[in-house]
Amino acid sequence: MNTVPISATVLHIHQLHFSHPQRRLFQGLSAHIPAGVSLICGGDGSGKTTLLRLLAGELAAHQGDVALAGISLADAREAYCAQVFWHDPRSHALHAISARDWWATLPARYSGWDALQLAAHIDGLDLAAHVDKPMYQLSSGSQRKAILAAGLASGAALTLMDEPLAALDRASIAYLQHALSELAGTPNGRAVLVAHYEALPGVACAAVLDLPEAVD
């Protein structure tokens, strides 16, 4: 893990413990995540997605806590989660609605929502032809692009991205890397945490959290 001064921390992970049945993933995991783009790095089975779900409040840790902008998940769950953008790209929760209808619900949740940014990301990710189709009609790549566009535009204090390059075409990969590089350069207090098996080319990481292999 890169060394980050506590005073610069946006997300504080403190002594996190979590295990699946017959598999221990995290035992006393701690980290300080600053503003900018940071990386959760690890191989298959290392717990990258599980950690994102813990940080989103979707899973409950067995021990430990996380705090975002000084707000503890354990003590103030609603206030904490209101600052987090997360949608699991494998979830079917949005399949019945269109990307446009989903996006229309998000400004009420995220005070930093930027409609101009969303329009730029729709263009950059070549989504314009798909925004009014039910999500289940979209390819997995287009579904992921709809989620990525929302996350980038959300303005959330913490934005969580799980394997963001998966199923994307080459042009969209290049655009996403450019968008993340720009955000890394001018984060404006936002922390974007990307789970991937390696660093994204051209994106300067504010911090790197290397996950060890899981212990059975």
Side-chain angles (χ1 to χ4, degrees), residues 10-11 33 36-38 40 52 55-56 68 83-87 110 147-162 180 183 189-195:
V10 174
L11 176 71
I33 306 299
V37 179
S38 295
I40 299 174
L52 292 181
L55 298 178
L68 175 57
Q83 301 184 88
V84 180
F85 179 90
W86 161 250
H87 184 78
Y110 299 108
I147 295 166
L148 291 168
L152 291 167
S154 68
L158 177 63
T159 298
L160 304 172
M161 297 183 176
D162 194 11
L180 288 174
L183 200 154
R190 294 182 65 186
V192 177
L193 200 48
V194 176

Side-chain angles (χ1 to χ4, degrees), residues 8-116:
T9 298
V10 174
L11 176 71
H12 182 199
I13 304 170
H14 180 68
Q15 292 292 309
L16 216 58
H17 292 248
F18 185 83
S19 299
H20 290 300
Q22 302 180 339
R23 185 174 227 185
R24 187 171 69 238
L25 283 178
F26 310 123
Q27 191 169 26
L29 177 67
S30 294
H32 304 298
I33 306 299
V37 179
S38 295
L39 176 70
I40 299 174
C41 190
D44 291 342
S46 62
K48 298 189 298 297
T49 299
T50 298
L51 181 55
L52 292 181
R53 294 180 68 198
L54 287 164
L55 298 178
E58 192 173 271
L59 289 176
H62 299 153
Q63 294 181 46
D65 193 17
V66 293
L68 175 57
I71 298 175
S72 161
L73 174 58
D75 295 340
R77 176 184 174 81
E78 185 175 345
Y80 174 97
C81 290
Q83 301 184 88
V84 180
F85 179 90
W86 161 250
H87 184 78
D88 189 336
R90 288 162 289 272
S91 169
H92 291 175
L94 300 175
H95 274 199
I97 66 172
S98 70
R100 190 190 301 277
D101 287 344
W102 176 49
W103 293 333
T105 69
L106 299 181
R109 176 171 180 179
Y110 299 108
S111 60
W113 180 264
D114 191 324
L116 292 177

Side-chain angles (χ1 to χ4, degrees), residues 121 152 171-185 201-203:
H121 300 320
L152 291 167
S172 295
I173 289 173
Y175 177 80
L176 177 61
Q177 290 176 170
H178 174 73
L180 288 174
S181 178
E182 287 198 333
L183 200 154
V203 180

Side-chain angles (χ1 to χ4, degrees), residues 198-216:
E198 63 180 1
L200 303 181
V203 180
C205 288
V208 178
L209 179 54
D210 287 304
L211 298 183
E213 294 301 317
V215 177
D216 293 332

